[in-house]
Amino acid sequence: MAARGIRRVAMLSAHTSPLDQPGTGDAGGMNVYVLELSRRLAARGIEVEVFTRATSRHLPPVVEADEGIRVHHVAAGPFEGLTKGDLPSQLCSFVRDVLRVEAWHEPGYFDLVHSHYWLSGQVGTVLRERWGVPLVHSMHTMAKVKNASLAAGDRPEPVGRVAGEEEIVRFADRLIANTAEERRELIDLYEADPRAVEVVHPGVDLDVFSATEPDDEPPLVVFAGRIQPLKAPDVVLHASALLDVPHRVAIIGGPSGSGLDRPTELTDLARELGIADRVEFVPTVTQAELATWYSRAAVVCVPSYSESFGLVAIEAQACGTPVVAAAVGGLTTAVADGVTGTLVDGHDPAAYAAALRPYLTDREFRSDAGAKAVRHAESFGWDVTAERTLDVYAAALHDREAAREEAG
């Protein structure tokens, strides 16, 4: 039986597919979020239909991703060669094909729309009006927040995105924020109605990410994520160059965003800093392989300029690995400063070197933080995320029904 009376959800992930491998291109934490949330909803008897843009003519129109989860590859614009910045001009085609899918069914086929990222949110505002169902939206990142803390060499988000996000905030029945800080940003920067913004933390797959004892010597520092200025992998390399203690560094991930313009920048930097012999560059890996890397590490470093949450930090802690992270966005929630890791103000490599040092030199200190990290991560399971999300769905549906009765 479907939970909370919800039978079917249209899940919108227009610019990136939940079936893509996280860590390269536009695939990252949001891909994990959409797929894992969909799995937990399906396990509760709710059918989830995910709509994402087709990036190859060879993709099947529909994929049964898991029991109860159907992924639609929507043809919207050229299959290849489009960047995320090109996609706003293709949204009309995307909307048309999503409407076409729903038109094959009886009215009321979908109970609710849940959109992810602003491009999907633009589509969601149209579907909300056409189908007469609530729109729940998750920002994941916000232009005004990103533009306030740009990395050197990174491009600011365009005014069109800002306007699009403001429109979504006006129309969405509920907004899901990853953290209390993101909730404040939606209210303060976008004038969101406080009654419409709910905090639901993302989760971690505790079956995949679990603790083992690190056995690498010399101790290993891991960075995992898309290779772009926003994620600041260069800070990890600069910090490593300042450390005079034995250690190695693994940079895991593929180029993304403005990082695509300079694909050899990090390898060149490692050579310039004289640390190429201690740095390993690892292409994007599966979730299971990533868990192995986390478990091998003495510490994971997440020096991002902006993070709506920072799933890498929670995944690492679930593996018993402490985290050194920037004190920005959701990382201040994901990492318990001074308990499961260390939060660093700013992006000075010297500050990161100082924060990393005790985890590399003091095994007892590292083990104690790692044990606490496991307990901290256990409160972020995806089942908790799914239950809280269902509460948000139910509230949006209740308000929509109440408005109909009042209007009637």
Side-chain angles (χ1 to χ4, degrees):
M1 181 179 293
R4 315 289 204 282
I6 301 167
R7 302 162 302 144
R8 191 174 293 107
V9 172
M11 195 80 71
L12 307 182
S13 182
H15 78 288
T16 181
S17 170
L19 303 182
D20 289 346
Q21 172 66 53
T24 190
D26 290 322
M30 194 187 101
N31 300 68
V32 176
Y33 187 110
V34 172
L35 183 58
E36 294 297 338
L37 175 61
S38 297
R39 283 173 172 162
R40 270 51 179 200
L41 295 177
R44 287 158 174 77
I46 297 171
E47 292 183 38
V48 180
E49 305 218 10
V50 182
F51 295 88
T52 189
R53 194 182 77 86
T55 54
S56 168
R57 67 180 69 254
H58 304 297
L59 288 170
V62 181
V63 173
E64 300 290 339
D66 215 330
E67 186 175 353
I69 305 172
R70 186 177 295 116
V71 177
H72 298 264
H73 292 119
V74 178
F79 290 110
E80 299 169 357
L82 292 184
T83 67
K84 197 159 54 175
D86 298 321
L87 295 184
S89 63
Q90 307 303 324
L91 292 182
C92 286
S93 298
F94 193 93
V95 169
R96 179 198 63 212
D97 277 20
V98 175
L99 290 173
R100 184 176 293 159
V101 170
E102 188 268 350
W104 281 100
H105 302 279
E106 292 295 319
Y109 182 70
F110 290 109
D111 296 310
L112 180 138
V113 176
H114 188 171
S115 55
H116 300 265
Y117 192 67
W118 80 277
L119 293 168
S120 297
Q122 290 282 285
V123 176
T125 60
V126 178
L127 303 182
R128 173 185 184 269
E129 298 304 309
R130 183 66 178 267
W131 296 343
V133 300
L135 170 63
V136 174
H137 181 73
S138 297
M139 284 288 193
H140 292 282
T141 63
M142 293 179 280
K144 292 182 181 181
V145 176
K146 290 181 71 174
N147 287 346
S149 55
L150 283 176
D154 216 353
R155 294 187 289 265
E157 296 297 316
V159 294
R161 176 178 173 180
V162 174
E165 290 176 343
E166 291 174 336
E167 182 179 54
I168 293 162
V169 168
R170 289 197 303 273
F171 281 98
D173 296 88
R174 285 292 188 282
L175 296 162
I176 291 181
N178 286 334
T179 64
E181 180 173 351
E182 184 180 344
R183 181 178 187 273
R184 287 193 296 272
E185 290 165 345
L186 280 163
I187 295 167
D188 294 344
L189 300 179
Y190 289 85
E191 299 182 357
D193 181 349
R195 295 168 298 180
V197 188
E198 303 286 350
V199 176
V200 180
H201 298 316
V204 60
D205 189 333
L206 298 171
D207 293 327
V208 173
F209 298 97
S210 57
T212 60
E213 274 296 315
D215 55 8
D216 276 34
E217 290 295 340
L220 176 67
V221 178
V222 163
F223 167 93
R226 287 171 289 163
I227 308 303
Q228 61 181 130
L230 173 71
K231 302 294 184 179
D234 58 302
V235 171
V236 180
L237 297 184
H238 280 289
S240 174
L242 296 174
L243 284 164
D244 57 359
V245 299
H247 70 283
R248 295 183 305 110
V249 177
I251 305 291
I252 304 172
S256 174
S258 54
L260 292 167
D261 300 334
R262 302 179 294 276
T264 66
E265 184 175 28
L266 287 185
T267 54
D268 294 342
L269 177 60
R271 283 195 300 271
E272 292 168 11
L273 294 172
I275 60 171
D277 59 339
R278 76 175 68 149
V279 180
E280 181 178 1
F281 291 94
V282 182
T284 304
V285 297
T286 66
Q287 293 280 280
E289 292 170 315
L290 187 57
T292 299
W293 278 102
Y294 290 149
S295 296
R296 289 173 53 190
V299 61
V300 168
C301 192
V302 189
S304 306
Y305 282 83
S306 176
E307 285 286 355
S308 62
F309 187 66
L311 280 178
V312 165
I314 288 294
E315 291 169 350
Q317 290 171 94
C319 292
T321 305
V323 175
V324 169
V328 299
L331 289 170
T332 60
T333 298
V335 179
D337 188 28
V339 180
T340 70
T342 303
L343 294 174
V344 179
D345 291 319
H347 296 84
D348 181 0
Y352 281 86
L356 290 167
R357 180 183 292 275
Y359 298 103
L360 301 175
T361 59
D362 189 333
R363 182 179 291 272
E364 184 177 347
F365 176 78
R366 180 170 74 220
S367 295
D368 180 62
K372 292 172 180 174
V374 172
R375 293 193 292 273
H376 177 63
E378 285 174 349
S379 64
F380 291 94
W382 280 113
D383 284 324
V384 176
T385 302
E387 287 298 322
R388 286 285 296 113
T389 301
L390 280 170
D391 289 341
V392 177
Y393 289 177
L397 283 164
H398 176 271
D399 286 358
R400 175 57 67 104
E401 289 302 318
R404 281 177 179 155
E405 289 178 7
E406 183 177 346

